[in-house]
Every structure is written in C-alpha cells, then in structure tokens.
Amino acid sequence: MEGENTPTLLARSRHASVRSLERYARPGVDAVADHVAARDPLRRGGRGRA
C-alpha cells in the first residue's frame, strides 16, 4: 500500500495502534530512500539548511 497515510493503513489492516502495525511494516532500502528524497527541502527547491 505504497503512499498510504497512517490512519488509512490502520483502518484497512484493522490494527488498533501504529505499534501493532509496525510489526508488519518492512520498507525496503529503495522505498526509504525515495521517501527521504521526496521530503528533502534542498531537492524540492526549498530553503533548507546546508
């Protein structure tokens, strides 16, 4: 369920807490790198600390 937000994942998986959902969340190295890159203010053209 790539790109889903936490409340949606909790509802669809029927977990009561993020802690219980954590057990099954295993993002790959590429997914983590993509997530970080998408939120990097320097890559988005924003003004981040250099």
Side-chain angles (χ1 to χ4, degrees):
M1 291 186 210
E2 188 175 326
E4 295 291 336
N5 62 32
T6 302
T8 302
L9 288 174
L10 288 172
R12 290 188 68 175
S13 65
R14 297 184 178 180
H15 283 88
S17 71
V18 175
R19 193 75 165 153
S20 63
L21 182 61
E22 237 175 31
R23 177 178 301 170
Y24 304 101
R26 301 277 187 252
V29 174
D30 292 338
V32 172
D34 289 346
H35 177 83
V36 171
R39 285 151 184 82
D40 181 1
L42 296 177
R43 290 193 73 198
R44 291 184 302 178
R47 292 185 173 185
R49 288 189 252 188

Coordinates of all heavy atoms in Angstrom, one line a residue:
M1 N 0.8 -1.2 0.0 CA 0.0 0.0 0.0 C 0.9 1.2 0.0 O 0.9 2.0 0.9 CB -0.9 0.0 1.2 CG -1.9 -1.1 1.2 SD -3.0 -0.9 2.6 CE -3.5 -2.5 2.8
E2 N 1.6 1.4 -1.0 CA 2.5 2.5 -1.2 C 1.8 3.8 -1.2 O 0.9 4.0 -1.9 CB 3.3 2.3 -2.5 CG 4.5 3.2 -2.6 CD 5.3 2.9 -3.8 OE1 5.4 1.7 -4.2 OE2 5.8 3.9 -4.4
G3 N 2.3 4.7 -0.4 CA 1.8 6.1 -0.4 C 0.6 6.3 0.5 O 0.0 7.4 0.5
E4 N 0.2 5.3 1.2 CA -1.0 5.4 2.1 C -0.6 6.1 3.4 O 0.5 6.0 3.8 CB -1.6 4.1 2.4 CG -2.1 3.3 1.3 CD -3.4 4.0 0.7 OE1 -4.1 4.7 1.5 OE2 -3.7 3.7 -0.5
N5 N -1.5 6.9 3.9 CA -1.2 7.5 5.2 C -1.5 6.6 6.4 O -2.2 5.5 6.2 CB -2.0 8.8 5.4 CG -3.5 8.7 5.3 OD1 -4.0 7.7 5.8 ND2 -4.2 9.6 4.8
T6 N -1.1 6.9 7.5 CA -1.1 6.0 8.7 C -2.6 5.7 9.1 O -2.9 4.5 9.3 CB -0.4 6.6 9.9 OG1 1.0 6.8 9.5 CG2 -0.4 5.7 11.1
P7 N -3.5 6.7 9.2 CA -4.9 6.3 9.6 C -5.5 5.3 8.6 O -6.2 4.4 9.0 CB -5.6 7.6 9.6 CG -4.6 8.6 9.9 CD -3.3 8.1 9.2
T8 N -5.2 5.5 7.3 CA -5.8 4.6 6.3 C -5.2 3.2 6.4 O -5.9 2.2 6.4 CB -5.5 5.1 4.9 OG1 -6.1 6.4 4.7 CG2 -6.0 4.2 3.8
L9 N -3.9 3.1 6.7 CA -3.3 1.8 6.9 C -3.9 1.1 8.1 O -4.1 -0.1 8.1 CB -1.8 1.9 7.0 CG -1.0 2.2 5.8 CD1 0.4 2.5 6.1 CD2 -1.2 1.1 4.8
L10 N -4.1 1.8 9.2 CA -4.6 1.3 10.4 C -6.1 0.7 10.2 O -6.4 -0.4 10.6 CB -4.7 2.3 11.5 CG -3.3 2.6 12.1 CD1 -3.4 3.8 13.1 CD2 -2.7 1.4 12.8
A11 N -6.8 1.5 9.5 CA -8.2 1.1 9.2 C -8.3 -0.1 8.3 O -9.0 -1.1 8.5 CB -9.0 2.3 8.5
R12 N -7.5 -0.1 7.2 CA -7.5 -1.3 6.3 C -7.0 -2.5 6.9 O -7.4 -3.6 6.6 CB -6.7 -0.9 5.0 CG -7.5 0.2 4.2 CD -6.9 0.4 2.9 NE -7.0 -0.8 2.1 CZ -6.7 -0.9 0.9 NH1 -6.1 0.1 0.3 NH2 -6.9 -2.0 0.2
S13 N -6.0 -2.4 7.8 CA -5.4 -3.6 8.4 C -6.0 -4.0 9.7 O -5.7 -5.1 10.2 CB -3.9 -3.3 8.7 OG -3.7 -2.3 9.7
R14 N -7.0 -3.2 10.2 CA -7.7 -3.4 11.4 C -6.8 -3.5 12.6 O -7.1 -4.2 13.6 CB -8.6 -4.7 11.3 CG -9.6 -4.5 10.2 CD -10.5 -5.7 10.2 NE -11.5 -5.5 9.2 CZ -12.5 -6.4 8.9 NH1 -12.5 -7.6 9.6 NH2 -13.4 -6.2 8.0
H15 N -5.7 -2.8 12.6 CA -4.8 -2.7 13.8 C -5.3 -1.5 14.6 O -5.8 -0.5 14.1 CB -3.4 -2.4 13.3 CG -2.7 -3.7 12.9 ND1 -2.7 -4.1 11.5 CD2 -2.0 -4.6 13.5 CE1 -2.1 -5.2 11.4 NE2 -1.6 -5.6 12.6
A16 N -5.2 -1.6 15.9 CA -5.7 -0.6 16.8 C -4.6 0.5 17.0 O -4.9 1.6 17.4 CB -6.1 -1.2 18.1
S17 N -3.3 0.2 16.8 CA -2.3 1.1 17.1 C -1.2 1.0 16.0 O -1.0 0.0 15.4 CB -1.7 0.9 18.5 OG -0.9 -0.2 18.5
V18 N -0.4 2.1 15.9 CA 0.7 2.1 15.0 C 1.7 1.1 15.5 O 2.4 0.4 14.7 CB 1.4 3.5 14.9 CG1 2.6 3.5 14.1 CG2 0.4 4.5 14.3
R19 N 1.9 0.9 16.8 CA 2.8 0.0 17.4 C 2.6 -1.5 16.9 O 3.5 -2.2 16.5 CB 2.7 0.0 18.9 CG 3.8 -0.6 19.6 CD 5.0 0.2 19.5 NE 6.0 -0.2 20.4 CZ 7.3 -0.1 20.3 NH1 7.7 0.6 19.2 NH2 8.1 -0.5 21.2
S20 N 1.3 -1.8 16.8 CA 1.0 -3.2 16.4 C 1.2 -3.3 14.8 O 1.6 -4.4 14.4 CB -0.4 -3.6 16.8 OG -1.4 -2.8 16.1
L21 N 0.9 -2.3 14.1 CA 1.1 -2.3 12.7 C 2.6 -2.3 12.3 O 3.0 -2.9 11.3 CB 0.5 -1.1 12.0 CG 0.6 -0.9 10.5 CD1 -0.2 -2.1 9.9 CD2 0.0 0.4 10.1
E22 N 3.4 -1.7 13.2 CA 4.9 -1.7 13.0 C 5.5 -3.1 12.7 O 6.5 -3.2 12.0 CB 5.5 -1.1 14.2 CG 6.4 0.1 14.0 CD 6.8 0.7 15.3 OE1 7.1 -0.1 16.3 OE2 7.0 1.9 15.4
R23 N 4.9 -4.0 13.4 CA 5.5 -5.4 13.3 C 5.5 -5.9 11.9 O 6.4 -6.7 11.5 CB 4.6 -6.3 14.2 CG 5.0 -7.7 14.1 CD 4.1 -8.5 15.1 NE 4.2 -8.0 16.4 CZ 3.5 -8.4 17.4 NH1 2.5 -9.2 17.3 NH2 3.7 -7.9 18.6
Y24 N 4.6 -5.4 11.1 CA 4.4 -5.9 9.7 C 5.0 -5.0 8.6 O 5.1 -5.4 7.5 CB 3.0 -6.2 9.4 CG 2.4 -7.2 10.4 CD1 1.6 -6.7 11.4 CD2 2.6 -8.5 10.3 CE1 1.0 -7.6 12.4 CE2 2.1 -9.4 11.3 CZ 1.3 -8.9 12.3 OH 0.8 -9.8 13.2
A25 N 5.3 -3.8 9.0 CA 5.9 -2.8 8.1 C 7.3 -3.0 7.9 O 8.1 -2.9 8.8 CB 5.6 -1.4 8.6
R26 N 7.7 -3.4 6.7 CA 9.1 -3.7 6.4 C 9.5 -2.9 5.1 O 9.6 -3.6 4.0 CB 9.4 -5.2 6.2 CG 9.0 -6.0 7.4 CD 10.1 -6.0 8.4 NE 9.9 -6.9 9.5 CZ 9.5 -6.6 10.7 NH1 9.4 -5.3 11.0 NH2 9.3 -7.5 11.6
P27 N 9.7 -1.6 5.1 CA 10.0 -0.9 3.9 C 11.4 -1.3 3.4 O 12.3 -1.5 4.2 CB 9.9 0.6 4.2 CG 10.2 0.6 5.7 CD 9.6 -0.7 6.2
G28 N 11.6 -1.4 2.1 CA 12.9 -1.7 1.5 C 13.8 -0.5 1.5 O 13.3 0.6 1.7
V29 N 15.0 -0.7 1.2 CA 16.0 0.4 1.2 C 15.6 1.4 0.1 O 15.7 2.6 0.4 CB 17.4 -0.2 0.9 CG1 18.4 0.9 0.6 CG2 17.9 -1.1 2.0
D30 N 15.1 1.0 -1.0 CA 14.7 1.9 -2.1 C 13.5 2.8 -1.6 O 13.4 3.9 -1.9 CB 14.4 1.2 -3.4 CG 15.6 0.6 -4.0 OD1 16.8 1.1 -3.7 OD2 15.5 -0.4 -4.8
A31 N 12.6 2.1 -1.0 CA 11.4 2.9 -0.5 C 11.8 3.9 0.5 O 11.2 5.0 0.5 CB 10.4 1.9 0.1
V32 N 12.7 3.6 1.4 CA 13.1 4.6 2.4 C 13.9 5.7 1.7 O 13.6 6.9 2.0 CB 14.0 3.9 3.5 CG1 14.6 5.0 4.4 CG2 13.2 2.9 4.3
A33 N 14.7 5.4 0.8 CA 15.5 6.4 0.1 C 14.5 7.4 -0.7 O 14.7 8.6 -0.7 CB 16.5 5.8 -0.8
D34 N 13.5 6.8 -1.3 CA 12.6 7.6 -2.1 C 11.8 8.5 -1.1 O 11.5 9.7 -1.4 CB 11.6 6.7 -2.8 CG 12.2 6.0 -4.0 OD1 13.3 6.4 -4.4 OD2 11.6 5.1 -4.5
H35 N 11.4 8.0 0.0 CA 10.6 8.8 1.0 C 11.5 9.9 1.5 O 11.0 11.1 1.5 CB 10.3 7.8 2.2 CG 9.6 8.6 3.3 ND1 8.2 8.8 3.2 CD2 10.0 9.1 4.4 CE1 7.9 9.4 4.4 NE2 8.9 9.6 5.1
V36 N 12.7 9.7 1.8 CA 13.6 10.8 2.3 C 13.9 11.8 1.2 O 13.8 13.0 1.5 CB 14.9 10.2 2.8 CG1 16.0 11.3 3.1 CG2 14.7 9.3 4.1
A37 N 14.1 11.3 0.0 CA 14.4 12.3 -1.1 C 13.2 13.1 -1.4 O 13.3 14.3 -1.7 CB 14.8 11.5 -2.3
A38 N 12.0 12.6 -1.3 CA 10.8 13.4 -1.6 C 10.5 14.5 -0.6 O 9.9 15.4 -0.9 CB 9.6 12.4 -1.7
R39 N 11.1 14.3 0.6 CA 10.9 15.3 1.7 C 12.1 16.1 2.0 O 12.1 16.9 2.9 CB 10.5 14.5 3.0 CG 9.0 14.1 2.8 CD 8.7 12.8 3.6 NE 7.4 12.4 3.4 CZ 7.0 11.7 2.4 NH1 7.8 11.3 1.5 NH2 5.7 11.3 2.3
D40 N 13.1 16.0 1.1 CA 14.3 16.8 1.3 C 14.1 18.2 0.7 O 13.9 18.4 -0.5 CB 15.5 16.1 0.5 CG 16.8 16.9 0.7 OD1 16.8 17.9 1.3 OD2 17.8 16.4 0.1
P41 N 14.1 19.2 1.6 CA 13.8 20.6 1.1 C 14.8 21.1 0.0 O 14.5 21.9 -0.8 CB 13.9 21.5 2.3 CG 14.5 20.6 3.4 CD 14.4 19.2 3.0
L42 N 16.0 20.6 0.1 CA 17.0 21.0 -0.9 C 16.7 20.5 -2.3 O 16.9 21.1 -3.3 CB 18.4 20.6 -0.5 CG 18.9 21.3 0.8 CD1 20.3 20.8 1.1 CD2 19.0 22.8 0.6
R43 N 16.2 19.2 -2.4 CA 15.8 18.6 -3.6 C 14.5 19.2 -4.2 O 14.3 19.2 -5.4 CB 15.7 17.1 -3.5 CG 17.0 16.4 -3.2 CD 16.9 15.0 -3.4 NE 16.8 14.7 -4.8 CZ 16.4 13.5 -5.3 NH1 16.0 12.6 -4.5 NH2 16.3 13.3 -6.6
R44 N 13.6 19.7 -3.3 CA 12.4 20.2 -3.7 C 12.5 21.7 -4.1 O 11.5 22.3 -4.6 CB 11.3 20.1 -2.6 CG 10.9 18.7 -2.4 CD 9.8 18.7 -1.3 NE 10.3 19.3 -0.1 CZ 9.6 19.5 1.0 NH1 8.4 19.1 1.0 NH2 10.1 20.1 2.0
G45 N 13.7 22.3 -4.0 CA 13.9 23.7 -4.3 C 13.6 24.6 -3.2 O 13.5 25.8 -3.4
G46 N 13.3 24.1 -2.0 CA 13.0 24.9 -0.9 C 14.3 25.4 -0.2 O 15.4 25.1 -0.7
R47 N 14.2 26.2 0.8 CA 15.3 26.7 1.5 C 15.6 25.8 2.8 O 14.9 26.0 3.8 CB 15.1 28.1 1.9 CG 15.1 29.0 0.7 CD 15.0 30.4 1.2 NE 15.2 31.3 0.1 CZ 15.2 32.6 0.1 NH1 15.1 33.2 1.3 NH2 15.4 33.3 -0.9
G48 N 16.5 24.9 2.7 CA 16.9 24.1 3.8 C 18.2 24.5 4.3 O 18.9 25.4 3.8
R49 N 18.6 24.0 5.4 CA 19.9 24.3 6.0 C 20.9 23.5 5.2 O 20.8 22.3 4.9 CB 20.0 23.8 7.4 CG 19.2 24.7 8.3 CD 19.5 24.4 9.7 NE 18.3 23.7 10.3 CZ 18.1 23.4 11.5 NH1 19.1 23.7 12.4 NH2 17.1 22.8 12.0
A50 N 22.0 24.1 4.8 CA 23.0 23.5 4.1 C 24.2 23.2 4.9 O 24.5 23.7 5.9 CB 23.5 24.4 2.9

